[in-house]
Amino acid sequence: MLSEKINKALNEQIAKEAFASSAYLAMASWCEQKGYEGATNFFYKQSEEERMHMMKIFHFVNEAEGKAISPAVAQPEHDFPSYRSVFEAALAHEKGVTKSIHELVKLATDQNDFRTLNLLQWFVDEQLEEENQIQTILDKLNLIGDNGVGIFMIDTEVGKKAAAKDPAAEV
Ligand code: FEO
């Protein structure tokens, strides 16, 4: 049985994953309107992944005899000044999620909640992977430059990353 404190914290994380899914959907929409095909596919898939993350915690809470709450989702940002800024926003967002996952790990450790810790270990690894993936794209933008040709080349690469993603296999 989950403690009330852990249950509450997990519901807060469910809400953050739901917001992440919505935020990535908004990023995909902006990229699609601008014609950045690779990033469009990347963010649509990322949005699906975040929903999977939300559901992974959601099911866990109910299976652990807690009470999972379907969250209200705030309106995310829909306008971005540049291609680069979308990835910067995505990275900043992931860093925030990583921080909250680490805080959850601390809480579950303090409470000797080994089942929650086991769930969270997956998220610790996933956050590292997600941050690295977005940082790599930003590194390439720095290297190649974000002029028209640079963005075209990087967007093609981002499209390949998106094609290799299988959100259903993530969880
Ligand atoms: Fe589920 Fe990207 O945090």
Side-chain angles (χ1 to χ4, degrees):
M1 179 107 186
L2 291 174
S3 74
E4 247 177 65
K5 209 169 173 184
I6 295 268
N7 197 148
K8 182 170 178 284
L10 288 174
N11 273 324
E12 285 165 6
Q13 192 62 37
I14 285 170
K16 284 176 188 166
E17 302 292 344
F19 179 76
S21 180
S22 179
Y24 282 131
L25 193 60
M27 290 176 192
S29 181
W30 184 87
C31 291
E32 193 162 35
Q33 288 162 45
K34 299 286 175 192
Y36 299 128
E37 207 177 328
T40 299
N41 292 333
F42 180 85
F43 286 120
Y44 275 134
K45 285 209 175 166
Q46 198 65 35
S47 175
E48 279 180 54
E49 265 183 34
E50 297 299 350
R51 182 175 159 78
M52 299 286 197
H53 294 173
M54 178 189 86
M55 292 310 297
K56 193 176 175 86
I57 304 172
F58 201 94
H59 288 310
F60 172 82
V61 169
N62 282 340
E63 278 164 15
E65 296 174 67
K67 185 177 177 183
I69 302 289
S70 180
V73 181
Q75 183 81 66
E77 185 59 62
H78 269 84
D79 292 308
F80 301 91
S82 64
Y83 187 86
R84 173 194 291 270
S85 73
V86 188
F87 287 96
E88 285 171 344
L91 184 59
H93 181 78
E94 288 302 337
K95 286 188 175 192
V97 172
T98 299
K99 189 166 173 277
S100 74
I101 292 286
H102 290 180
E103 282 164 5
L104 262 169
V105 169
K106 171 85 174 64
L107 180 64
T109 304
D110 290 347
Q111 296 203 1
N112 289 335
D113 182 340
F114 302 113
R115 286 193 295 195
T116 300
L117 275 173
N118 192 43
L119 169 85
L120 292 172
Q121 190 54 55
W122 184 90
F123 281 90
V124 170
D125 294 342
E126 177 69 10
Q127 282 309 119
L128 183 61
E129 194 186 309
E130 290 201 334
E131 278 190 33
N132 277 339
Q133 185 167 238
I134 299 166
Q135 185 63 60
T136 301
I137 295 166
L138 283 166
D139 288 346
K140 284 188 180 168
L141 275 169
N142 287 338
L143 205 66
I144 304 175
D146 47 2
N147 53 30
V149 177
I151 289 180
F152 178 79
M153 285 169 67
I154 288 157
D155 195 56
T156 304
E157 281 285 309
V158 171
K160 285 182 195 159
K161 276 188 202 290
K165 266 181 186 286
D166 179 0
E170 284 284 321
V171 288

